[in-house]
Amino acid sequence: FSSRRRHTRLQGDWSSDVCSSDLEISTTTTYQMKLYIGIDPGLSGGIAFIPTLGDPWAHKMPETDRDLIDLIGDSISMAEPRAVLELVHSSPQMGVRSAFTFGEGYGRLQAVLTALRVPYERVRPQAWQKAMGCLTKGDKNVSKRRAQELFPSLKVTHATADALLIAEYNRRTHP
């Protein structure tokens, strides 16, 4: 008998005669569903999810790191995720503290996506807005109306409108 195998002779049971090294473990995961994620960064932004099967959902931006990790982590557990993060920068109108807080939050989003192994790309607002037919020029009501047209079953808010449109842009550009 091999020294690495465990043998049980009681009642003639040899079913446990398998060592863990004998088992083949697959390191690749196959998903049947894709999950398109759209992220509108900032404290007044949101995160939206559009699965290939089922209904979309959206949330205002979580306030804590733990809530952000839980929201994205729980959402991607049964699907192949792909995210689009709106590429935005601080503006001269922001104070030093506001610009720092915004940059910190943006980096947090990138870190969480990277840690959870969610592939993502950054897209300028003009690119997704043009593709979605809603050049807002800063007016959130334009994107809210467009998101409500595309997602009539959802209660679209200013916090979730851009995220929903970014997620839809993601779905349309990455079939």
PDB file of all heavy atoms in Angstrom, residues 37-41 44-48 58 84 86 88 125 128-129 132 134 136 138-147 151 156-169:
ATOM      1  N   ILE A  37     -21.383  45.794 -15.363  1.00  0.00           N
ATOM      2  CA  ILE A  37     -21.404  46.729 -14.244  1.00  0.00           C
ATOM      3  C   ILE A  37     -21.080  48.125 -14.758  1.00  0.00           C
ATOM      4  O   ILE A  37     -20.146  48.298 -15.539  1.00  0.00           O
ATOM      5  CB  ILE A  37     -20.377  46.312 -13.170  1.00  0.00           C
ATOM      6  CG1 ILE A  37     -20.626  44.863 -12.723  1.00  0.00           C
ATOM      7  CG2 ILE A  37     -20.414  47.270 -11.981  1.00  0.00           C
ATOM      8  CD1 ILE A  37     -19.518  44.288 -11.860  1.00  0.00           C
ATOM      9  N   GLY A  38     -21.845  49.094 -14.322  1.00  0.00           N
ATOM     10  CA  GLY A  38     -21.584  50.497 -14.633  1.00  0.00           C
ATOM     11  C   GLY A  38     -21.370  51.264 -13.346  1.00  0.00           C
ATOM     12  O   GLY A  38     -22.148  51.114 -12.401  1.00  0.00           O
ATOM     13  N   ILE A  39     -20.308  52.066 -13.302  1.00  0.00           N
ATOM     14  CA  ILE A  39     -19.988  52.791 -12.075  1.00  0.00           C
ATOM     15  C   ILE A  39     -19.849  54.283 -12.349  1.00  0.00           C
ATOM     16  O   ILE A  39     -19.021  54.708 -13.159  1.00  0.00           O
ATOM     17  CB  ILE A  39     -18.691  52.259 -11.428  1.00  0.00           C
ATOM     18  CG1 ILE A  39     -18.808  50.753 -11.168  1.00  0.00           C
ATOM     19  CG2 ILE A  39     -18.390  53.024 -10.142  1.00  0.00           C
ATOM     20  CD1 ILE A  39     -17.532  50.102 -10.674  1.00  0.00           C
ATOM     21  N   ASP A  40     -20.683  55.051 -11.670  1.00  0.00           N
ATOM     22  CA  ASP A  40     -20.615  56.509 -11.671  1.00  0.00           C
ATOM     23  C   ASP A  40     -19.961  56.891 -10.347  1.00  0.00           C
ATOM     24  O   ASP A  40     -20.594  56.829  -9.296  1.00  0.00           O
ATOM     25  CB  ASP A  40     -22.024  57.094 -11.783  1.00  0.00           C
ATOM     26  CG  ASP A  40     -22.055  58.609 -11.678  1.00  0.00           C
ATOM     27  OD1 ASP A  40     -21.003  59.257 -11.867  1.00  0.00           O
ATOM     28  OD2 ASP A  40     -23.140  59.145 -11.403  1.00  0.00           O
ATOM     29  N   PRO A  41     -18.659  57.225 -10.358  1.00  0.00           N
ATOM     30  CA  PRO A  41     -17.935  57.452  -9.104  1.00  0.00           C
ATOM     31  C   PRO A  41     -18.368  58.736  -8.403  1.00  0.00           C
ATOM     32  O   PRO A  41     -19.036  59.588  -8.985  1.00  0.00           O
ATOM     33  CB  PRO A  41     -16.480  57.537  -9.552  1.00  0.00           C
ATOM     34  CG  PRO A  41     -16.541  57.975 -10.962  1.00  0.00           C
ATOM     35  CD  PRO A  41     -17.823  57.430 -11.535  1.00  0.00           C
ATOM     36  N   SER A  44     -22.127  61.115  -4.786  1.00  0.00           N
ATOM     37  CA  SER A  44     -23.506  61.204  -5.279  1.00  0.00           C
ATOM     38  C   SER A  44     -23.749  60.273  -6.464  1.00  0.00           C
ATOM     39  O   SER A  44     -24.800  60.340  -7.090  1.00  0.00           O
ATOM     40  CB  SER A  44     -23.836  62.643  -5.677  1.00  0.00           C
ATOM     41  OG  SER A  44     -22.990  63.053  -6.744  1.00  0.00           O
ATOM     42  N   GLY A  45     -22.795  59.385  -6.755  1.00  0.00           N
ATOM     43  CA  GLY A  45     -22.921  58.447  -7.868  1.00  0.00           C
ATOM     44  C   GLY A  45     -23.574  57.144  -7.457  1.00  0.00           C
ATOM     45  O   GLY A  45     -24.231  57.056  -6.414  1.00  0.00           O
ATOM     46  N   GLY A  46     -23.379  56.130  -8.290  1.00  0.00           N
ATOM     47  CA  GLY A  46     -23.987  54.845  -8.012  1.00  0.00           C
ATOM     48  C   GLY A  46     -23.320  53.720  -8.779  1.00  0.00           C
ATOM     49  O   GLY A  46     -22.398  53.946  -9.566  1.00  0.00           O
ATOM     50  N   ILE A  47     -23.820  52.519  -8.548  1.00  0.00           N
ATOM     51  CA  ILE A  47     -23.335  51.307  -9.216  1.00  0.00           C
ATOM     52  C   ILE A  47     -24.551  50.563  -9.736  1.00  0.00           C
ATOM     53  O   ILE A  47     -25.527  50.365  -9.006  1.00  0.00           O
ATOM     54  CB  ILE A  47     -22.539  50.408  -8.259  1.00  0.00           C
ATOM     55  CG1 ILE A  47     -21.355  51.178  -7.663  1.00  0.00           C
ATOM     56  CG2 ILE A  47     -22.042  49.163  -8.982  1.00  0.00           C
ATOM     57  CD1 ILE A  47     -20.543  50.383  -6.663  1.00  0.00           C
ATOM     58  N   ALA A  48     -24.483  50.145 -11.011  1.00  0.00           N
ATOM     59  CA  ALA A  48     -25.594  49.412 -11.618  1.00  0.00           C
ATOM     60  C   ALA A  48     -25.099  48.092 -12.181  1.00  0.00           C
ATOM     61  O   ALA A  48     -23.941  47.971 -12.593  1.00  0.00           O
ATOM     62  CB  ALA A  48     -26.239  50.258 -12.716  1.00  0.00           C
ATOM     63  N   ALA A  58     -29.707  48.558  -9.358  1.00  0.00           N
ATOM     64  CA  ALA A  58     -28.766  49.653  -9.139  1.00  0.00           C
ATOM     65  C   ALA A  58     -28.841  50.129  -7.692  1.00  0.00           C
ATOM     66  O   ALA A  58     -29.875  49.987  -7.035  1.00  0.00           O
ATOM     67  CB  ALA A  58     -29.081  50.812 -10.087  1.00  0.00           C
ATOM     68  N   VAL A  84     -17.407  48.974 -16.277  1.00  0.00           N
ATOM     69  CA  VAL A  84     -16.979  50.236 -16.889  1.00  0.00           C
ATOM     70  C   VAL A  84     -17.081  51.287 -15.798  1.00  0.00           C
ATOM     71  O   VAL A  84     -18.120  51.454 -15.163  1.00  0.00           O
ATOM     72  CB  VAL A  84     -17.830  50.619 -18.115  1.00  0.00           C
ATOM     73  CG1 VAL A  84     -17.536  52.048 -18.547  1.00  0.00           C
ATOM     74  CG2 VAL A  84     -17.563  49.661 -19.274  1.00  0.00           C
ATOM     75  N   GLU A  86     -16.611  55.269 -15.006  1.00  0.00           N
ATOM     76  CA  GLU A  86     -16.569  56.558 -15.682  1.00  0.00           C
ATOM     77  C   GLU A  86     -15.244  57.250 -15.374  1.00  0.00           C
ATOM     78  O   GLU A  86     -14.824  57.343 -14.220  1.00  0.00           O
ATOM     79  CB  GLU A  86     -17.735  57.439 -15.232  1.00  0.00           C
ATOM     80  CG  GLU A  86     -17.818  58.739 -16.003  1.00  0.00           C
ATOM     81  CD  GLU A  86     -19.003  59.587 -15.595  1.00  0.00           C
ATOM     82  OE1 GLU A  86     -19.199  59.792 -14.378  1.00  0.00           O
ATOM     83  OE2 GLU A  86     -19.734  60.026 -16.495  1.00  0.00           O
ATOM     84  N   VAL A  88     -13.399  60.257 -14.804  1.00  0.00           N
ATOM     85  CA  VAL A  88     -13.609  61.650 -14.439  1.00  0.00           C
ATOM     86  C   VAL A  88     -12.430  62.130 -13.598  1.00  0.00           C
ATOM     87  O   VAL A  88     -11.687  61.330 -13.038  1.00  0.00           O
ATOM     88  CB  VAL A  88     -14.934  61.847 -13.671  1.00  0.00           C
ATOM     89  CG1 VAL A  88     -16.126  61.661 -14.572  1.00  0.00           C
ATOM     90  CG2 VAL A  88     -15.031  60.879 -12.503  1.00  0.00           C
ATOM     91  N   PRO A 125     -17.047  60.421 -20.010  1.00  0.00           N
ATOM     92  CA  PRO A 125     -18.495  60.658 -20.028  1.00  0.00           C
ATOM     93  C   PRO A 125     -19.026  60.929 -21.439  1.00  0.00           C
ATOM     94  O   PRO A 125     -20.094  60.433 -21.811  1.00  0.00           O
ATOM     95  CB  PRO A 125     -18.681  61.884 -19.131  1.00  0.00           C
ATOM     96  CG  PRO A 125     -17.475  61.935 -18.270  1.00  0.00           C
ATOM     97  CD  PRO A 125     -16.368  61.303 -19.055  1.00  0.00           C
ATOM     98  N   TRP A 128     -19.677  57.483 -23.466  1.00  0.00           N
ATOM     99  CA  TRP A 128     -20.869  56.688 -23.149  1.00  0.00           C
ATOM    100  C   TRP A 128     -22.144  57.492 -23.373  1.00  0.00           C
ATOM    101  O   TRP A 128     -23.153  56.932 -23.785  1.00  0.00           O
ATOM    102  CB  TRP A 128     -20.797  56.061 -21.751  1.00  0.00           C
ATOM    103  CG  TRP A 128     -20.914  56.962 -20.567  1.00  0.00           C
ATOM    104  CD1 TRP A 128     -19.906  57.418 -19.773  1.00  0.00           C
ATOM    105  CD2 TRP A 128     -22.120  57.511 -20.007  1.00  0.00           C
ATOM    106  NE1 TRP A 128     -20.396  58.211 -18.771  1.00  0.00           N
ATOM    107  CE2 TRP A 128     -21.761  58.283 -18.886  1.00  0.00           C
ATOM    108  CE3 TRP A 128     -23.463  57.423 -20.344  1.00  0.00           C
ATOM    109  CZ2 TRP A 128     -22.683  58.967 -18.106  1.00  0.00           C
ATOM    110  CZ3 TRP A 128     -24.396  58.104 -19.570  1.00  0.00           C
ATOM    111  CH2 TRP A 128     -24.000  58.864 -18.469  1.00  0.00           C
ATOM    112  N   GLN A 129     -22.104  58.811 -23.106  1.00  0.00           N
ATOM    113  CA  GLN A 129     -23.297  59.627 -23.319  1.00  0.00           C
ATOM    114  C   GLN A 129     -23.669  59.685 -24.798  1.00  0.00           C
ATOM    115  O   GLN A 129     -24.849  59.579 -25.158  1.00  0.00           O
ATOM    116  CB  GLN A 129     -23.087  61.039 -22.765  1.00  0.00           C
ATOM    117  CG  GLN A 129     -23.078  61.089 -21.258  1.00  0.00           C
ATOM    118  CD  GLN A 129     -22.739  62.463 -20.709  1.00  0.00           C
ATOM    119  OE1 GLN A 129     -22.627  63.442 -21.440  1.00  0.00           O
ATOM    120  NE2 GLN A 129     -22.572  62.547 -19.395  1.00  0.00           N
ATOM    121  N   MET A 132     -25.185  56.421 -25.838  1.00  0.00           N
ATOM    122  CA  MET A 132     -26.497  56.195 -25.244  1.00  0.00           C
ATOM    123  C   MET A 132     -27.516  57.261 -25.655  1.00  0.00           C
ATOM    124  O   MET A 132     -28.667  57.233 -25.223  1.00  0.00           O
ATOM    125  CB  MET A 132     -26.389  56.147 -23.709  1.00  0.00           C
ATOM    126  CG  MET A 132     -25.510  55.012 -23.198  1.00  0.00           C
ATOM    127  SD  MET A 132     -25.947  53.396 -23.868  1.00  0.00           S
ATOM    128  CE  MET A 132     -27.622  53.249 -23.336  1.00  0.00           C
ATOM    129  N   CYS A 134     -27.585  60.601 -25.057  1.00  0.00           N
ATOM    130  CA  CYS A 134     -27.996  61.558 -24.017  1.00  0.00           C
ATOM    131  C   CYS A 134     -26.827  62.437 -23.587  1.00  0.00           C
ATOM    132  O   CYS A 134     -26.366  62.335 -22.453  1.00  0.00           O
ATOM    133  CB  CYS A 134     -28.601  60.839 -22.822  1.00  0.00           C
ATOM    134  SG  CYS A 134     -27.455  59.783 -21.944  1.00  0.00           S
ATOM    135  N   THR A 136     -25.426  65.108 -21.821  1.00  0.00           N
ATOM    136  CA  THR A 136     -26.076  65.807 -20.713  1.00  0.00           C
ATOM    137  C   THR A 136     -25.575  67.232 -20.497  1.00  0.00           C
ATOM    138  O   THR A 136     -26.305  68.040 -19.934  1.00  0.00           O
ATOM    139  CB  THR A 136     -25.876  65.044 -19.397  1.00  0.00           C
ATOM    140  OG1 THR A 136     -24.484  65.087 -19.055  1.00  0.00           O
ATOM    141  CG2 THR A 136     -26.357  63.615 -19.498  1.00  0.00           C
ATOM    142  N   GLY A 138     -23.813  68.155 -18.241  1.00  0.00           N
ATOM    143  CA  GLY A 138     -23.888  68.371 -16.801  1.00  0.00           C
ATOM    144  C   GLY A 138     -25.282  68.320 -16.199  1.00  0.00           C
ATOM    145  O   GLY A 138     -25.432  68.401 -14.983  1.00  0.00           O
ATOM    146  N   ASP A 139     -26.316  68.187 -17.018  1.00  0.00           N
ATOM    147  CA  ASP A 139     -27.690  68.152 -16.514  1.00  0.00           C
ATOM    148  C   ASP A 139     -28.097  66.706 -16.225  1.00  0.00           C
ATOM    149  O   ASP A 139     -28.374  65.933 -17.139  1.00  0.00           O
ATOM    150  CB  ASP A 139     -28.638  68.782 -17.540  1.00  0.00           C
ATOM    151  CG  ASP A 139     -30.083  68.861 -17.057  1.00  0.00           C
ATOM    152  OD1 ASP A 139     -30.382  68.370 -15.945  1.00  0.00           O
ATOM    153  OD2 ASP A 139     -30.909  69.411 -17.811  1.00  0.00           O
ATOM    154  N   LYS A 140     -28.129  66.343 -14.940  1.00  0.00           N
ATOM    155  CA  LYS A 140     -28.465  64.974 -14.540  1.00  0.00           C
ATOM    156  C   LYS A 140     -29.887  64.574 -14.937  1.00  0.00           C
ATOM    157  O   LYS A 140     -30.191  63.393 -15.050  1.00  0.00           O
ATOM    158  CB  LYS A 140     -28.298  64.804 -13.031  1.00  0.00           C
ATOM    159  CG  LYS A 140     -26.877  64.681 -12.556  1.00  0.00           C
ATOM    160  CD  LYS A 140     -26.507  63.235 -12.434  1.00  0.00           C
ATOM    161  CE  LYS A 140     -25.210  63.067 -11.661  1.00  0.00           C
ATOM    162  NZ  LYS A 140     -24.783  61.689 -11.617  1.00  0.00           N
ATOM    163  N   ASN A 141     -30.778  65.538 -15.148  1.00  0.00           N
ATOM    164  CA  ASN A 141     -32.145  65.215 -15.545  1.00  0.00           C
ATOM    165  C   ASN A 141     -32.192  64.566 -16.926  1.00  0.00           C
ATOM    166  O   ASN A 141     -33.055  63.736 -17.201  1.00  0.00           O
ATOM    167  CB  ASN A 141     -33.042  66.451 -15.507  1.00  0.00           C
ATOM    168  CG  ASN A 141     -33.326  66.892 -14.084  1.00  0.00           C
ATOM    169  OD1 ASN A 141     -33.565  66.063 -13.214  1.00  0.00           O
ATOM    170  ND2 ASN A 141     -33.250  68.193 -13.848  1.00  0.00           N
ATOM    171  N   VAL A 142     -31.242  64.924 -17.797  1.00  0.00           N
ATOM    172  CA  VAL A 142     -31.179  64.329 -19.143  1.00  0.00           C
ATOM    173  C   VAL A 142     -30.876  62.841 -19.029  1.00  0.00           C
ATOM    174  O   VAL A 142     -31.554  62.008 -19.647  1.00  0.00           O
ATOM    175  CB  VAL A 142     -30.115  65.049 -20.019  1.00  0.00           C
ATOM    176  CG1 VAL A 142     -29.923  64.332 -21.342  1.00  0.00           C
ATOM    177  CG2 VAL A 142     -30.506  66.507 -20.240  1.00  0.00           C
ATOM    178  N   SER A 143     -29.876  62.489 -18.227  1.00  0.00           N
ATOM    179  CA  SER A 143     -29.535  61.066 -18.080  1.00  0.00           C
ATOM    180  C   SER A 143     -30.606  60.314 -17.302  1.00  0.00           C
ATOM    181  O   SER A 143     -30.886  59.152 -17.584  1.00  0.00           O
ATOM    182  CB  SER A 143     -28.158  60.889 -17.435  1.00  0.00           C
ATOM    183  OG  SER A 143     -28.088  61.526 -16.190  1.00  0.00           O
ATOM    184  N   LYS A 144     -31.242  60.979 -16.347  1.00  0.00           N
ATOM    185  CA  LYS A 144     -32.310  60.316 -15.591  1.00  0.00           C
ATOM    186  C   LYS A 144     -33.476  59.955 -16.506  1.00  0.00           C
ATOM    187  O   LYS A 144     -34.013  58.846 -16.433  1.00  0.00           O
ATOM    188  CB  LYS A 144     -32.778  61.217 -14.440  1.00  0.00           C
ATOM    189  CG  LYS A 144     -33.784  60.539 -13.538  1.00  0.00           C
ATOM    190  CD  LYS A 144     -34.208  61.427 -12.389  1.00  0.00           C
ATOM    191  CE  LYS A 144     -35.292  60.723 -11.589  1.00  0.00           C
ATOM    192  NZ  LYS A 144     -36.014  61.619 -10.722  1.00  0.00           N
ATOM    193  N   ARG A 145     -33.867  60.886 -17.380  1.00  0.00           N
ATOM    194  CA  ARG A 145     -34.958  60.596 -18.321  1.00  0.00           C
ATOM    195  C   ARG A 145     -34.593  59.430 -19.242  1.00  0.00           C
ATOM    196  O   ARG A 145     -35.406  58.533 -19.475  1.00  0.00           O
ATOM    197  CB  ARG A 145     -35.275  61.838 -19.169  1.00  0.00           C
ATOM    198  CG  ARG A 145     -36.266  62.780 -18.545  1.00  0.00           C
ATOM    199  CD  ARG A 145     -36.776  63.840 -19.514  1.00  0.00           C
ATOM    200  NE  ARG A 145     -35.709  64.645 -20.107  1.00  0.00           N
ATOM    201  CZ  ARG A 145     -35.187  65.730 -19.543  1.00  0.00           C
ATOM    202  NH1 ARG A 145     -35.617  66.142 -18.374  1.00  0.00           N
ATOM    203  NH2 ARG A 145     -34.232  66.405 -20.158  1.00  0.00           N
ATOM    204  N   ARG A 146     -33.375  59.445 -19.773  1.00  0.00           N
ATOM    205  CA  ARG A 146     -32.948  58.389 -20.699  1.00  0.00           C
ATOM    206  C   ARG A 146     -32.894  57.033 -19.989  1.00  0.00           C
ATOM    207  O   ARG A 146     -33.328  56.013 -20.544  1.00  0.00           O
ATOM    208  CB  ARG A 146     -31.592  58.734 -21.312  1.00  0.00           C
ATOM    209  CG  ARG A 146     -31.085  57.715 -22.304  1.00  0.00           C
ATOM    210  CD  ARG A 146     -31.953  57.691 -23.548  1.00  0.00           C
ATOM    211  NE  ARG A 146     -31.357  56.784 -24.526  1.00  0.00           N
ATOM    212  CZ  ARG A 146     -32.040  55.866 -25.191  1.00  0.00           C
ATOM    213  NH1 ARG A 146     -33.349  55.774 -25.037  1.00  0.00           N
ATOM    214  NH2 ARG A 146     -31.442  55.070 -26.037  1.00  0.00           N
ATOM    215  N   ALA A 147     -32.372  57.009 -18.781  1.00  0.00           N
ATOM    216  CA  ALA A 147     -32.307  55.757 -18.025  1.00  0.00           C
ATOM    217  C   ALA A 147     -33.702  55.226 -17.717  1.00  0.00           C
ATOM    218  O   ALA A 147     -33.957  54.017 -17.807  1.00  0.00           O
ATOM    219  CB  ALA A 147     -31.513  55.956 -16.735  1.00  0.00           C
ATOM    220  N   PHE A 151     -35.051  51.616 -18.709  1.00  0.00           N
ATOM    221  CA  PHE A 151     -35.321  50.719 -17.588  1.00  0.00           C
ATOM    222  C   PHE A 151     -36.623  51.125 -16.896  1.00  0.00           C
ATOM    223  O   PHE A 151     -36.612  51.571 -15.750  1.00  0.00           O
ATOM    224  CB  PHE A 151     -34.143  50.745 -16.606  1.00  0.00           C
ATOM    225  CG  PHE A 151     -32.834  50.395 -17.237  1.00  0.00           C
ATOM    226  CD1 PHE A 151     -31.941  51.389 -17.609  1.00  0.00           C
ATOM    227  CD2 PHE A 151     -32.499  49.072 -17.481  1.00  0.00           C
ATOM    228  CE1 PHE A 151     -30.738  51.077 -18.213  1.00  0.00           C
ATOM    229  CE2 PHE A 151     -31.296  48.743 -18.085  1.00  0.00           C
ATOM    230  CZ  PHE A 151     -30.417  49.749 -18.458  1.00  0.00           C
ATOM    231  N   VAL A 156     -35.539  54.944 -11.119  1.00  0.00           N
ATOM    232  CA  VAL A 156     -34.269  55.591 -11.439  1.00  0.00           C
ATOM    233  C   VAL A 156     -34.159  56.880 -10.632  1.00  0.00           C
ATOM    234  O   VAL A 156     -35.097  57.674 -10.569  1.00  0.00           O
ATOM    235  CB  VAL A 156     -34.172  55.885 -12.951  1.00  0.00           C
ATOM    236  CG1 VAL A 156     -32.894  56.626 -13.276  1.00  0.00           C
ATOM    237  CG2 VAL A 156     -34.265  54.591 -13.749  1.00  0.00           C
ATOM    238  N   THR A 157     -33.004  57.068 -10.000  1.00  0.00           N
ATOM    239  CA  THR A 157     -32.737  58.284  -9.240  1.00  0.00           C
ATOM    240  C   THR A 157     -31.541  59.005  -9.852  1.00  0.00           C
ATOM    241  O   THR A 157     -30.856  58.449 -10.725  1.00  0.00           O
ATOM    242  CB  THR A 157     -32.414  57.952  -7.768  1.00  0.00           C
ATOM    243  OG1 THR A 157     -31.166  57.241  -7.730  1.00  0.00           O
ATOM    244  CG2 THR A 157     -33.515  57.113  -7.128  1.00  0.00           C
ATOM    245  N   HIS A 158     -31.278  60.221  -9.392  1.00  0.00           N
ATOM    246  CA  HIS A 158     -30.091  60.925  -9.876  1.00  0.00           C
ATOM    247  C   HIS A 158     -28.822  60.143  -9.534  1.00  0.00           C
ATOM    248  O   HIS A 158     -27.848  60.181 -10.272  1.00  0.00           O
ATOM    249  CB  HIS A 158     -30.020  62.344  -9.296  1.00  0.00           C
ATOM    250  CG  HIS A 158     -30.976  63.278  -9.960  1.00  0.00           C
ATOM    251  ND1 HIS A 158     -32.000  63.889  -9.277  1.00  0.00           N
ATOM    252  CD2 HIS A 158     -31.087  63.698 -11.242  1.00  0.00           C
ATOM    253  CE1 HIS A 158     -32.688  64.649 -10.104  1.00  0.00           C
ATOM    254  NE2 HIS A 158     -32.165  64.541 -11.305  1.00  0.00           N
ATOM    255  N   ALA A 159     -28.826  59.420  -8.422  1.00  0.00           N
ATOM    256  CA  ALA A 159     -27.655  58.645  -8.007  1.00  0.00           C
ATOM    257  C   ALA A 159     -27.421  57.435  -8.905  1.00  0.00           C
ATOM    258  O   ALA A 159     -26.280  57.038  -9.129  1.00  0.00           O
ATOM    259  CB  ALA A 159     -27.803  58.197  -6.557  1.00  0.00           C
ATOM    260  N   THR A 160     -28.484  56.847  -9.446  1.00  0.00           N
ATOM    261  CA  THR A 160     -28.327  55.604 -10.212  1.00  0.00           C
ATOM    262  C   THR A 160     -28.439  55.778 -11.726  1.00  0.00           C
ATOM    263  O   THR A 160     -28.069  54.868 -12.469  1.00  0.00           O
ATOM    264  CB  THR A 160     -29.369  54.563  -9.767  1.00  0.00           C
ATOM    265  OG1 THR A 160     -30.694  55.070 -10.000  1.00  0.00           O
ATOM    266  CG2 THR A 160     -29.197  54.198  -8.298  1.00  0.00           C
ATOM    267  N   ALA A 161     -28.917  56.912 -12.200  1.00  0.00           N
ATOM    268  CA  ALA A 161     -29.170  57.092 -13.636  1.00  0.00           C
ATOM    269  C   ALA A 161     -27.909  56.897 -14.481  1.00  0.00           C
ATOM    270  O   ALA A 161     -27.907  56.106 -15.428  1.00  0.00           O
ATOM    271  CB  ALA A 161     -29.779  58.468 -13.900  1.00  0.00           C
ATOM    272  N   ASP A 162     -26.844  57.625 -14.158  1.00  0.00           N
ATOM    273  CA  ASP A 162     -25.621  57.499 -14.949  1.00  0.00           C
ATOM    274  C   ASP A 162     -25.052  56.085 -14.856  1.00  0.00           C
ATOM    275  O   ASP A 162     -24.580  55.529 -15.850  1.00  0.00           O
ATOM    276  CB  ASP A 162     -24.571  58.521 -14.501  1.00  0.00           C
ATOM    277  CG  ASP A 162     -24.873  59.926 -14.985  1.00  0.00           C
ATOM    278  OD1 ASP A 162     -25.908  60.134 -15.644  1.00  0.00           O
ATOM    279  OD2 ASP A 162     -24.059  60.834 -14.695  1.00  0.00           O
ATOM    280  N   ALA A 163     -25.097  55.495 -13.660  1.00  0.00           N
ATOM    281  CA  ALA A 163     -24.573  54.133 -13.490  1.00  0.00           C
ATOM    282  C   ALA A 163     -25.326  53.141 -14.371  1.00  0.00           C
ATOM    283  O   ALA A 163     -24.720  52.271 -15.004  1.00  0.00           O
ATOM    284  CB  ALA A 163     -24.651  53.721 -12.019  1.00  0.00           C
ATOM    285  N   LEU A 164     -26.644  53.276 -14.456  1.00  0.00           N
ATOM    286  CA  LEU A 164     -27.440  52.394 -15.318  1.00  0.00           C
ATOM    287  C   LEU A 164     -27.061  52.582 -16.791  1.00  0.00           C
ATOM    288  O   LEU A 164     -26.917  51.601 -17.529  1.00  0.00           O
ATOM    289  CB  LEU A 164     -28.931  52.654 -15.124  1.00  0.00           C
ATOM    290  CG  LEU A 164     -29.552  52.044 -13.881  1.00  0.00           C
ATOM    291  CD1 LEU A 164     -30.882  52.705 -13.551  1.00  0.00           C
ATOM    292  CD2 LEU A 164     -29.710  50.531 -14.047  1.00  0.00           C
ATOM    293  N   LEU A 165     -26.885  53.823 -17.202  1.00  0.00           N
ATOM    294  CA  LEU A 165     -26.524  54.085 -18.601  1.00  0.00           C
ATOM    295  C   LEU A 165     -25.107  53.607 -18.910  1.00  0.00           C
ATOM    296  O   LEU A 165     -24.848  53.087 -20.001  1.00  0.00           O
ATOM    297  CB  LEU A 165     -26.673  55.572 -18.917  1.00  0.00           C
ATOM    298  CG  LEU A 165     -28.118  56.087 -18.885  1.00  0.00           C
ATOM    299  CD1 LEU A 165     -28.150  57.611 -18.991  1.00  0.00           C
ATOM    300  CD2 LEU A 165     -28.957  55.448 -19.981  1.00  0.00           C
ATOM    301  N   ILE A 166     -24.208  53.722 -17.958  1.00  0.00           N
ATOM    302  CA  ILE A 166     -22.842  53.216 -18.148  1.00  0.00           C
ATOM    303  C   ILE A 166     -22.860  51.692 -18.237  1.00  0.00           C
ATOM    304  O   ILE A 166     -22.168  51.086 -19.064  1.00  0.00           O
ATOM    305  CB  ILE A 166     -21.913  53.717 -17.026  1.00  0.00           C
ATOM    306  CG1 ILE A 166     -21.760  55.239 -17.104  1.00  0.00           C
ATOM    307  CG2 ILE A 166     -20.546  53.045 -17.101  1.00  0.00           C
ATOM    308  CD1 ILE A 166     -21.144  55.885 -15.863  1.00  0.00           C
ATOM    309  N   ALA A 167     -23.669  51.041 -17.404  1.00  0.00           N
ATOM    310  CA  ALA A 167     -23.795  49.574 -17.466  1.00  0.00           C
ATOM    311  C   ALA A 167     -24.381  49.143 -18.807  1.00  0.00           C
ATOM    312  O   ALA A 167     -23.938  48.149 -19.404  1.00  0.00           O
ATOM    313  CB  ALA A 167     -24.655  49.065 -16.311  1.00  0.00           C
ATOM    314  N   GLU A 168     -25.369  49.871 -19.298  1.00  0.00           N
ATOM    315  CA  GLU A 168     -25.961  49.552 -20.607  1.00  0.00           C
ATOM    316  C   GLU A 168     -24.952  49.789 -21.731  1.00  0.00           C
ATOM    317  O   GLU A 168     -24.869  49.012 -22.676  1.00  0.00           O
ATOM    318  CB  GLU A 168     -27.234  50.365 -20.828  1.00  0.00           C
ATOM    319  CG  GLU A 168     -27.903  50.152 -22.172  1.00  0.00           C
ATOM    320  CD  GLU A 168     -28.391  48.723 -22.423  1.00  0.00           C
ATOM    321  OE1 GLU A 168     -28.479  47.914 -21.473  1.00  0.00           O
ATOM    322  OE2 GLU A 168     -28.686  48.408 -23.596  1.00  0.00           O
ATOM    323  N   TYR A 169     -24.178  50.852 -21.627  1.00  0.00           N
ATOM    324  CA  TYR A 169     -23.088  51.106 -22.583  1.00  0.00           C
ATOM    325  C   TYR A 169     -22.115  49.919 -22.562  1.00  0.00           C
ATOM    326  O   TYR A 169     -21.694  49.425 -23.613  1.00  0.00           O
ATOM    327  CB  TYR A 169     -22.360  52.408 -22.214  1.00  0.00           C
ATOM    328  CG  TYR A 169     -21.063  52.607 -22.937  1.00  0.00           C
ATOM    329  CD1 TYR A 169     -21.036  53.174 -24.213  1.00  0.00           C
ATOM    330  CD2 TYR A 169     -19.853  52.234 -22.363  1.00  0.00           C
ATOM    331  CE1 TYR A 169     -19.843  53.352 -24.885  1.00  0.00           C
ATOM    332  CE2 TYR A 169     -18.658  52.410 -23.024  1.00  0.00           C
ATOM    333  CZ  TYR A 169     -18.656  52.971 -24.284  1.00  0.00           C
ATOM    334  OH  TYR A 169     -17.457  53.132 -24.958  1.00  0.00           O
TER     335      TYR A 169
END
